[in-house]
């Protein structure tokens, strides 16, 4: 999901994530109308159906990676006995099996976001909502995180990414453009003109880089930032 | 079950929060600590004082009763002339014979007199006229020589008993029996020595010279309308009410009072004084309770303040917890439990301080607060009170946290 600032990305994301309720219309998630749910009911839906990944990670600073990942399970129905095991498995899935007892300040940005992703998937959500998941990361780490998300997607996880980076958007199967609060385009990424253009340029860059690598050490800066 | 586990988690969370902010938590709970420490200390001191005073009453004689003439309130003076209402010796004999709940009694009267032995003179010494029953009633036996005999009383003999202090002051022999002293110029034979009165909370704080003479001898020395009262010993403390009723009946009968007339005498049992003292102690407890309530209130406001700070600096964390599925009620419980735990721990530390103070009070030798200790009800009450303060003052910040909008909270810097 992409669009310019103020186009309504965050609002739609909040509604989809059951953090907010629509002022009009209905949002049906897994056959349940969430529009009239109380704050408590919405919290349970978030716990069971939604996993959040935020731009600024939002990890509890004083707690280990494992404790951070356990957080949603504390508020979950059942599964108290298997809490630690499930958190561990989630951390292994994101490739942090060797960083479980590290605190956020002992982890790099990419590792922090991996912990956040592990926390988002630990309760097996229907949708993983990622709000600018790579906004605070450099390009190399961005690639790593996108690979991880792609890998989760291949394993069957539905992922919704809110981004204004075409580079990130080009990883997705479907691209939704929002303009002034309305969906202006909703196409598979192969057909989305902006993504297409980006991919072509990206390919060209890679070719040029390959040529440049022949005679000199030329650094490639990946990704453009239209906004 | 889930609820329980979530709340268990909340307690662990609260404890870890408190531990993470040790200094702040300590300073915050200081109000509660001081409040609880002061109330428990005051109550411990009062308990100790009460125990020692009641013990004092006990040795003083919980089974003692005082009878004295008393003109009825509002009655005209001429209606009950003094010579009619003053106690008379035949009345005492009637009381002795007709009141089964009264074990024994003695009239008692005091007089200041000048004492002389050889060239030593002591002025204003307290002379007491007694019957021999006095020794047992006041628990002051004759340690040397003999008590007054029936013939001493009936013959109004000029005999006397003295205490150690009088022996010292007049320079009498260690066993003065057989020596003579002048009492207002009259020659009295010393027949024995009476145990010296111990200094106590009631009565004299220092011992002084005392001389005792038979009551009938005193009657001869004084003007015929003199005042005296009666100390009676009841068979047991429980029989005090009965003894009072019996004595009232006997005296009314001997004075020929009809049913419409008021008593011309007053009977006071020692338990009245005990009741008065207990009422006073209860009053002090209530006042102390009020002061403590105020200090706990102040402490509670401190807790509320720090909890509000805690909520505001952890707004993002609250937002995150909500976004991963914490319901408002769980957040509420988390903060409420933190406030309660703070107060509870303050109560615990305060109680420990109070316990230490109470122990310190018992240490000095001859401490009047030897028995100072914190009664169970005070322990329970102070805990209940601190927890209550936690609930009341923790509620507002907790509700504030629970009501936070997750989106707003996550944007908070």
């Amino acid at each position: 999901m992409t669009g310019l600032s103020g186009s309504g990305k965050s609002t739609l994301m909040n509604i989809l994530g059951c953090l907010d309720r629509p002022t009009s219309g209905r949002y049906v998630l897994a056959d349940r109308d969430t529009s009239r749910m109380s704050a408590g009911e919405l919290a349970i839906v978030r716990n069971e159906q939604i996993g959040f990944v935020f731009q600024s990670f939002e990890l509890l600073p004083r707690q280990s990676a494992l404790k951070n990942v356990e957080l949603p399970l504390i508020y979950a129905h059942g599964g108290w006995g298997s809490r630690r095991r499930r958190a561990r498995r989630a951390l292994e899935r994101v490739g942090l099996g060797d960083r479980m007892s590290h605190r956020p300040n002992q982890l790099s940005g990419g590792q922090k976001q991996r912990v956040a992703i592990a926390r988002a998937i630990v309760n097996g959500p229907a949708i993983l909502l990622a709000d600018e998941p790579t906004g605070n990361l450099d390009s190399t780490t961005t690639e790593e995180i996108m690979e991880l998300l792609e890998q989760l997607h291949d394993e069957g996880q539905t992922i919704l990414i809110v981004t204004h980076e075409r580079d990130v958007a080009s990883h997705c199967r479907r691209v939704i453009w929002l303009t002034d609060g309305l969906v202006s385009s909703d196409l598979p990424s192969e057909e989305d003109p902006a993504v297409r253009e980006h991919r072509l340029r990206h390919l060209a860059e890679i070719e040029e880089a390959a040529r440049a690598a022949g005679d000199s050490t030329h650094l490639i800066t990946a990704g453009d930032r239209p906004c | 079950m889930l609820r329980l586990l979530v709340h268990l988690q909340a307690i662990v969370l609260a404890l870890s929060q408190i531990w993470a902010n040790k200094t702040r938590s300590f300073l915050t709970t200081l109000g509660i600590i001081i409040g609880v420490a002061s109330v428990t200390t005051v109550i411990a001191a009062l308990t100790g004082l009460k125990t020692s005073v009641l013990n004092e009453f006990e040795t003083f004689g919980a089974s003692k009763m005082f009878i004295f003439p008393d003109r009825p309130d509002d009655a005209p003076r001429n209606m009950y002339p003094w010579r009619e209402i003053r106690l008379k010796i035949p009345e005492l004999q009637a009381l002795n014979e007709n009141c089964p709940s009264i074990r024994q009694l003695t009239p008692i009267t005091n007089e200041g007199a000048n004492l002389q032995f050889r060239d030593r003179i002591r002025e204003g010494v307290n002379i007491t006229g007694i019957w021999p029953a006095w020794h047992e009633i006041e628990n002051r036996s004759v340690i040397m020589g003999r008590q007054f005999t029936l013939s001493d009383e009936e013959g109004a003999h000029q005999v006397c008993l003295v205490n150690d202090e009088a022996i010292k002051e007049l320079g009498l022999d260690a066993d003065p029996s057989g020596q003579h002293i002048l009492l207002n110029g009259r020659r009295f034979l010393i027949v024995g020595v009476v145990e010296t009165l111990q200094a106590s909370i009631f009565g004299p704080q220092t011992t002084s010279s005392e001389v005792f003479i038979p009551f009938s001898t005193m009657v001869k020395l004084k003007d015929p309308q003199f005042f005296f009262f009666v100390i009676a010993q009841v068979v047991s403390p429980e029989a005090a009410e009965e003894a009072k009723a019996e004595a009232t009946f006997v005296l009314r009968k001997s004075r020929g009072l009809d049913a419409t007339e008021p008593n011309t005498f007053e009977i006071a049992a020692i338990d009245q004084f005990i009741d008065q003292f207990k009422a006073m102690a209860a009053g002090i407890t209530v006042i102390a309770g009020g002061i403590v309530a105020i200090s706990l209130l102040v402490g509670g406001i401190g807790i509320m303040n720090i909890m509000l700070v805690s909520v505001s600096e952890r707004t993002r964390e609250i937002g995150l917890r909500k976004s991963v599925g914490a319901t408002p009620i769980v957040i509420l419980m988390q903060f409420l439990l933190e406030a309660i735990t703070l107060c509870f721990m303050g109560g615990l530390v305060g109680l420990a301080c109070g316990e230490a103070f109470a122990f310190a009070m018992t240490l000095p030798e001859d401490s009047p607060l030897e028995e100072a200790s914190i009664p169970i009800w005070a322990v329970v009450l102070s805990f209940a009170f601190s927890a209550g303060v936690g609930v009341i003052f923790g509620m507002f910040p907790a509700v504030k946290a629970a009501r936070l909008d997750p989106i707003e909270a996550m944007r908070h810097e």
Side-chain angles (χ1 to χ4, degrees):
Chain A
M1 189 158 77
T2 189
L4 299 173
S5 290
S7 58
K9 298 189 297 274
S10 297
T11 307
L12 182 53
M13 157 116 172
N14 287 338
I15 289 171
L16 293 178
C18 293
L19 285 167
D20 207 349
R21 273 165 290 199
T23 39
S24 65
R26 297 195 314 149
Y27 171 37
V28 180
L29 177 65
D31 294 331
R32 289 172 74 202
D33 184 1
T34 62
S35 323
R36 298 199 188 286
M37 283 186 177
S38 70
E41 288 171 312
L42 283 178
I44 293 166
V45 171
R46 286 198 294 273
N47 185 259
E48 291 172 351
Q49 313 270 14
I50 316 278
F52 287 100
V53 175
F54 303 96
Q55 179 175 0
S56 47
F57 324 130
E58 304 295 343
L59 301 177
L60 297 180
R62 275 198 274 263
Q63 310 227 318
S64 68
L66 191 65
K67 287 270 177 202
N68 266 292
V69 175
E70 277 180 23
L71 194 64
L73 299 176
I74 289 171
Y75 303 111
H77 277 272
W80 270 66
S82 59
R83 210 168 76 202
R84 181 127 311 170
R85 191 164 46 77
R86 288 166 71 188
R88 232 179 234 140
R89 210 167 48 205
L91 274 170
E92 279 159 8
R93 270 179 86 184
V94 300
L96 284 180
D98 55 342
R99 293 281 187 281
M100 298 206 190
S101 51
H102 287 54
R103 292 186 174 197
N105 60 5
Q106 297 168 311
L107 297 170
S108 71
Q111 286 170 331
K112 281 187 211 169
Q113 199 59 302
R114 282 167 190 268
V115 174
I117 291 169
R119 182 180 63 196
I121 61 170
V122 71
N123 209 15
I127 315 172
L128 177 64
L129 286 177
D131 188 2
E132 302 280 9
T134 59
N136 281 8
L137 301 174
D138 62 43
S139 52
T140 324
T141 323
T142 299
E143 277 308 308
E144 283 173 26
I145 293 297
M146 289 317 295
E147 269 167 38
L148 173 61
L149 289 175
E150 268 184 285
Q151 178 201 324
L152 291 174
H153 183 245
D154 289 343
E155 287 167 26
Q157 178 69 55
T158 304
I159 304 176
L160 175 67
I161 300 177
V162 173
T163 185
H164 55 249
E165 292 177 44
R166 290 188 192 182
D167 191 26
V168 171
S170 71
H171 283 274
C172 302
R173 299 254 177 104
R174 180 178 165 196
V175 178
I176 301 166
W177 276 89
L178 286 185
T179 312
D180 297 333
L182 292 170
V183 175
S184 57
S185 140
D186 180 359
L187 295 167
S189 53
E190 295 85 44
E191 294 168 30
D192 187 274
V195 172
R196 229 167 163 173
E197 187 203 332
H198 172 78
R199 281 187 180 168
L200 284 174
R201 202 188 318 158
H202 189 60
L203 266 175
E205 271 171 6
I206 289 170
E207 277 169 20
E208 196 185 326
R211 250 184 286 123
D215 40 56
S216 73
T217 49
H218 185 74
L219 278 175
I220 304 163
T221 44
D224 59 343
R225 281 169 176 70
C227 298
Chain B
M1 185 63 187
L2 167 82
R3 282 271 164 85
L4 195 79
L5 283 168
V6 168
H7 294 167
L8 207 72
Q9 185 74 21
I11 291 174
V12 173
L13 213 61
L15 284 173
S16 65
Q17 271 301 328
I18 290 165
W19 186 245
N21 299 304
K22 286 178 280 288
T23 316
R24 190 168 88 181
S25 306
F26 173 73
L27 291 175
T28 306
T29 47
L30 212 52
I32 303 282
I33 292 173
I34 292 170
V36 170
S38 54
V39 72
T40 46
T41 306
V42 168
I43 289 176
L46 264 179
T47 311
L49 187 68
K50 208 153 100 181
T51 313
S52 58
V53 167
L54 291 183
N55 280 346
E56 194 84 30
F57 273 128
E58 207 65 46
T59 46
F60 193 60
S63 50
K64 265 199 296 193
M65 211 165 77
F66 299 89
I67 306 170
F68 43 91
D70 183 40
R71 184 171 285 124
D73 294 339
D74 310 325
R77 223 181 149 75
N78 55 6
M79 201 166 151
Y80 298 105
W82 174 245
R83 78 188 123 74
E84 257 177 52
I85 64 169
R86 68 185 288 275
L87 294 167
K88 290 153 205 85
I89 298 302
E91 284 179 334
L92 268 52
Q93 275 151 359
L95 285 170
N96 237 349
E97 280 160 25
N98 300 322
C99 299
S101 296
I102 292 177
R103 178 175 290 152
Q104 51 194 345
L105 55 81
T106 176
I108 193 160
T109 186
N110 293 299
E111 176 87 357
N114 295 338
L115 228 59
Q116 188 180 357
F117 177 66
R118 293 186 187 139
D119 53 351
R120 284 205 203 198
I121 298 176
R122 283 281 171 280
E123 289 180 350
V125 174
N126 187 27
I127 313 294
T128 310
I130 55 167
W131 281 359
W134 179 88
H135 297 290
E136 217 173 294
I137 295 171
E138 291 288 13
N139 197 21
R140 291 180 65 187
S141 45
V142 173
I143 45 177
M144 263 184 277
R146 62 165 178 86
Q147 294 185 357
F148 301 133
T149 59
L150 200 59
S151 83
D152 286 335
E153 180 63 31
E154 281 175 351
H157 292 158
Q158 299 207 357
V159 290
C160 70
L161 294 164
V162 294
N163 71 348
D164 289 331
E165 199 62 25
I167 294 173
K168 235 187 286 169
E169 285 199 339
L170 290 170
L172 298 165
D173 291 347
D175 180 1
S177 305
Q179 290 185 301
H180 285 87
I181 52 173
L182 292 180
L183 233 164
N184 280 353
R186 290 167 195 262
R187 223 167 105 91
F188 276 72
L189 172 71
I190 300 173
V191 295
V193 178
V194 172
E195 233 176 316
T196 298
L197 181 66
Q198 293 299 314
S200 72
I201 296 177
F202 307 103
Q205 290 298 306
T206 53
T207 53
S208 56
S209 294
E210 287 178 297
V211 175
F212 301 89
I213 61 173
F215 189 78
S216 56
T217 315
M218 188 68 121
V219 171
K220 266 200 335 196
L221 297 178
K222 284 188 127 175
D223 108 66
Q225 301 292 317
F226 77 101
F227 169 82
F228 72 92
F229 63 97
V230 167
I231 304 180
Q233 188 183 31
V234 180
V235 288
S236 72
E238 294 76 39
E241 281 305 307
E242 226 168 299
K244 209 167 151 179
E246 287 167 7
T248 306
F249 178 78
V250 169
L251 283 177
R252 284 185 73 88
K253 200 167 171 230
S254 83
R255 291 177 174 208
L257 298 170
D258 66 44
T260 59
E261 279 178 296
N263 290 341
T264 53
F265 53 88
E266 173 69 33
I267 301 173
I270 201 90
D271 55 350
Q272 277 177 320
F273 299 115
I274 295 177
D275 287 346
Q276 271 171 21
F277 175 75
K278 281 182 175 164
M280 189 184 78
I284 297 172
T285 310
V286 168
I287 292 167
I291 293 166
V292 162
I294 292 167
S295 70
L296 283 182
L297 190 78
V298 174
I301 292 168
I303 298 265
M304 179 159 73
N305 187 25
I306 215 68
M307 289 307 299
L308 283 172
V309 169
S310 178
V311 168
S312 114
E313 74 184 14
R314 279 153 70 195
T315 301
R316 277 183 89 95
E317 182 194 322
I318 296 164
L320 172 73
R321 286 180 184 276
K322 287 191 157 187
S323 71
V324 301
T327 56
I329 192 84
V330 169
I331 297 288
L332 181 108
M333 287 309 291
Q334 181 191 331
F335 281 89
L336 201 55
L337 276 170
E338 192 174 322
I340 294 171
T341 311
L342 265 180
C343 288
F344 203 74
M345 280 171 29
L348 204 67
V349 174
L351 191 69
C353 293
E355 203 69 75
F357 286 136
F359 180 68
M361 278 185 259
T362 64
L363 289 184
E365 223 155 295
D366 294 333
S367 162
L369 301 174
E370 229 165 11
E371 307 276 336
S373 72
I374 303 172
I376 294 295
W377 64 264
V379 173
V380 172
L381 205 71
S382 46
F383 270 129
F385 225 93
S386 356
V389 164
V391 172
I392 292 165
F393 291 97
M395 194 50 103
F396 173 57
V399 167
K400 207 180 152 194
R403 287 217 181 130
L404 275 178
D405 175 35
I407 301 165
E408 288 295 318
M410 300 277 284
R411 272 189 211 138
H412 186 91
E413 283 307 317

